[in-house]
Amino acid sequence: MVDLLHRHTAAGTGLGVSLPRVEDDRLLRGEGRFVDDLHPFQALHMAVLRCPFPRAQVVSIDISAALELTGVEQILVGSQVAERSEPISVLRPVPGAPDLPFFALATDVAHFEGQPVVSVVAQSRAIAEDALDLIDVEFDPLPHVSDVVSAMEPDAPLLHPNELATNRLVTNNQERGNPDGELAASAVVASDRFFVNRVTALPMEGRAVVAEWRQGARELIVQHSTQTPHLVRKQLAEALRLDEGSIRVLTDDVGGGFGMKLGIYPEDVLACLHALELGRPVKWVEDRTEHFRASTHARESVHDASIGATADGRFTAMTNAYATDLGALNSPFGSAQLTSITFGGPYNVEHIRTERLVTVTSKTPIGAYRGYGQPESNFVREVLIDRIARQLGRDPLDLRLQNLLRPEDLPWTNHTGAILDSGDYAATLRMATERVGYDALRAAGRGPRADGRLTGVGLSCFIERTGYPSARFLANRGSQFGAHEGVTLRANRSGGIDLITGVSSFGQSSETTFAQLLSEVTGIDAGLVRVHTGDTGASPVNTGGFASRTTIAAAGAIELAGLEFVGKALRIAAWLLEIDDPTSLAVRGTDIGPRDSDGPTVPLADVFSTAILGQGIPPSEAPGLEATAYYEPQAAAYAFGSAAAVVAVDPETGDFTIERFVMVHDCGVPVNPMLVEGQVLGALAQGFGAALMEELRYDPDTGQLLNGSLLDYFAPTAADLPHVELLHTEVPSPVTPLGVRGVGEIGTIPPGAAIVNAVCDALSDPQIELSRLPVTPEAVWRALADAAAKGGRA
Amino acid sequence: MSDKVHVTLTVNGRSVDADVEPRVHLADFLRHDLGLTGTHVGCEQGACGNCTVISDGVALKSCLTLAVQADGSEIETVESLATGDQLSPLQQAFKDAHALQCGYCTPGFLMTITALERRGGALSREELRGELAGVICRCTGYETIIEAAEDHLAEVAARG
Ligand code: FES
Ligand code: FES
């Protein structure tokens, strides 16, 4: 590990510099290359007929009229796909759960609205869609289950009678101490049922794939909009019964992923099957209507949770029995898995239990989405903490400060075995509350302002698991991927370095940050590094960009490869300069020269060219200058922080505005502070969306999605979001290379609880409890009306 | 259905003659017939604004206009902004402010703000939030986009 005190900052492009992004120019000029921008010669286009019901028997399919349409090339139905391919595999199975295998097209039963039933390939997308209209499918609707609570009812229709005796897929319990006894003995206990809304990641570019097969070359080239090219290749090989060597996945620009673009979906298998048989490129680009029904959803869960405290405010125990939805079938990553790990949060609680139940319903499969269970646990815990404060007549800030883990308590192993590595949690809370003027806000008279509104302030303290604690950890959970990243560095004759990675570019700025990391480790100017992304044919096998893990794992790989690479470069330079001790040399920007003094230097271009030519190198060296390294983190790093929201609520209508939002976070050593801030702001926007506006709603009778378009699913616009004040602390993680913590997801975590706590503080009526997301003006108005009916507020 | 219609229009200063299917919208025409793939499609329902282009000086969602309706009009897309190797001042402002991540929505914002710029005058952050509410970005949270737009429009206004 590089000693932080001896950073090679010669080039000025290493850690901690807000370098502009190398990704920007092409994207600003309209030269990004997204999958739908590709127009392969002779390409054909695929469209998919989908089940319109939440659950239905596919009784019969008549494709005869569609086959006659001019321009239609091929139509596949479920039975053909079942012959020609394998069920789609799962990358992160739910531990202990039985398989629910399914093919790329529904065979006899379609399990959710939007599940592919027939695929058509034609000379244009328009013709393929015309053909869909000519296909006659007889569906026999079957009983369905439209939410987590009804899935658990004893008389609920059984959704997978062959594999499951109930709609409960599996339960995982984790417990430490004696939470029940402690709760029973507590002076105060706050308990409630919390509902977390079903939302969707909603990248602006939907899914897309182009598949092309060359029979004689036995090569299937798949251009794919994904966060994980190597995992796509693995899953496609399994589904298509091909050798991995016959598949090359290429991923250029990706228009956002947020966890939704991990692994494969049925349409990917279908496009490949058509391409394999037709010998022509087949393109499929998801439209937004399909996206809302067939790309994974997230977060829907119901939590029965309790927190107990002593009379003087010490937390005694926490419990959360929650049900989280899988949807109708498995997606590659399945339902959120970080709720239990983070439920205890940054607090000192010895007695704790989490019970995770995974249900199946008749809805679109749930998949990974930024946060992956952490916003859920944070909402539940932080809202309950405020209720404890109200019961005890304590200030919520004070109560939190009393219970937060102190720096000297860390590392702290929680009830799931997770280890919170380091940090000063209380410092972030103090910073947030000082910035927002907490004491003045709490001291202010609680009466309405001139505009009739009541103001309130709400807090939320959070942790975020970033990265995976090693492949061993993943193996225990049956995960079909590792925790490592791999990287190849290769000198070129121009004096630059080609850095080749299997990570793709989906907005997370890896091209810029990887070059910076290499600059940090080697002293080479980041401008000399060319990052090549997303080609499984060229890059070392890696895991991919998700779980806030990429920077951590890649930092380790880049460090190892960089040291090997630069070591050889220095040996060759020493030979050229006729200097005995290569360690007296260092890279300085574009040259190699004496580390500590002036003296003769040699340009990198000369060193690299000499190495590549293999002429004039030291006799002990092999030609070429290239290094490949893999790095597997041995522990996860926990990012952390605190947020404070100030709201103004109209007590008549329930309308409220967020007047201020302060967030203090710690992501360890920031590789590029500008990009870190961008990640946090972006995740916060998604956190606000899920807390305030977004919810996929279903008709309980028909089981159909009610708002499956951007016209009625409200993703926040520029006019909907509050101004955010962002502050940070910088505690280097002791468990990661260079002290970095991941940063991609943290912003999704605190908004829900901070806002709910602020609204409740404004209304200062103990009868008013908000236990459901999103928190809308209507929800607040209903809570006010309920409280009034109970004889509370007049 | 495939009776094509002849259209003549100007795109980024060049005159274009083409035969198009009546059902093809302007965004698809620009992208798939003219190869101007900088204009992006995010919903095809007028909600995301990622497809925004400038038509006869006014910002327009190109997914809501049929290519045949653009006959005779003057269209500008994101590809018209940079000059040679040089980003335009607005593009540079986006880069400086880190106003893009995945970059999918970016052309929509650039064209919307370019149309605002032609209308003239600096705008406050609050006004900009309203003006830019027709384009959805899922990556940035808008804060940096508003900063870039504010800086850029203020600079243009100051130059007069
Ligand atoms: S694609 Fe035109 S507004 Fe969304
Ligand atoms: S930068 Fe990705 S949608 Fe705006």
Side-chain angles (χ1 to χ4, degrees), chain B residues 28 40 56 64 67 74 78 84 88 90 92 110 114 129 141 151:
Chain B
D28 274 354
H40 295 152
D56 295 330
L64 291 185
E74 196 166 316
V78 68
S88 74
L90 175 60
Q92 189 63 45
L110 293 173
T114 300
R129 282 186 183 275
D151 290 354

Side-chain angles (χ1 to χ4, degrees), chain A residues 21 25 39 288 716 723, chain B residues 32 42 95 101 138 142-143:
Chain A
R21 295 202 318 161
D25 282 37
H39 294 97
R288 194 56 71 183
H723 173 67
Chain B
H32 301 313
K95 185 171 177 176
Q101 290 179 25
R138 194 61 164 167
Y142 305 104
E143 200 95 347

Side-chain angles (χ1 to χ4, degrees), chain A residues 21 24-25 28-29 36-37 39 126 130 200-202 204 288 507 678 682 686 694 709 716-718 721 723-724, chain B residues 1 23 31-32 37-38 40 42 45 50 78 84 91 95 98 100-102 104 110 129 133 138-139 141-143:
Chain A
R21 295 202 318 161
D24 280 351
D25 282 37
L28 285 162
R29 296 166 60 100
D36 190 34
D37 300 342
H39 294 97
D130 290 341
T200 187
L202 205 75
M204 294 319 295
R288 194 56 71 183
Q686 294 183 7
E694 296 179 34
S709 87
T717 71
L721 293 174
H723 173 67
V724 171
Chain B
M1 166 180 331
R23 64 179 173 183
R31 291 175 49 73
H32 301 313
T37 52
H40 295 152
Q45 290 181 319
N50 287 194
V78 68
Q91 288 171 318
K95 185 171 177 176
H98 185 34
L100 64 154
Q101 290 179 25
C102 80
Y104 197 80
L110 293 173
R129 282 186 183 275
R138 194 61 164 167
C139 294
Y142 305 104
E143 200 95 347

Side-chain angles (χ1 to χ4, degrees), chain B residues 56-98:
Chain B
D56 295 330
V58 179
L60 172 100
K61 291 178 176 172
S62 60
C63 72
L64 291 185
T65 301
L66 294 170
V68 295
Q69 292 174 286
D71 187 34
S73 57
E74 196 166 316
I75 305 292
E76 294 161 74
T77 70
V78 68
E79 284 90 348
S80 69
L81 295 181
T83 312
D85 210 23
Q86 277 289 305
L87 295 179
S88 74
L90 175 60
Q91 288 171 318
Q92 189 63 45
F94 262 59
K95 185 171 177 176
D96 293 343
H98 185 34

Side-chain angles (χ1 to χ4, degrees), chain A residues 330-353:
Chain A
N330 280 300
S331 70
F333 268 64
S335 60
Q337 300 213 21
L338 299 180
T339 303
S340 296
I341 280 184
T342 55
F343 179 62
Y347 298 101
N348 188 335
V349 189
E350 289 289 351
H351 303 273
I352 182 162
R353 180 176 62 241

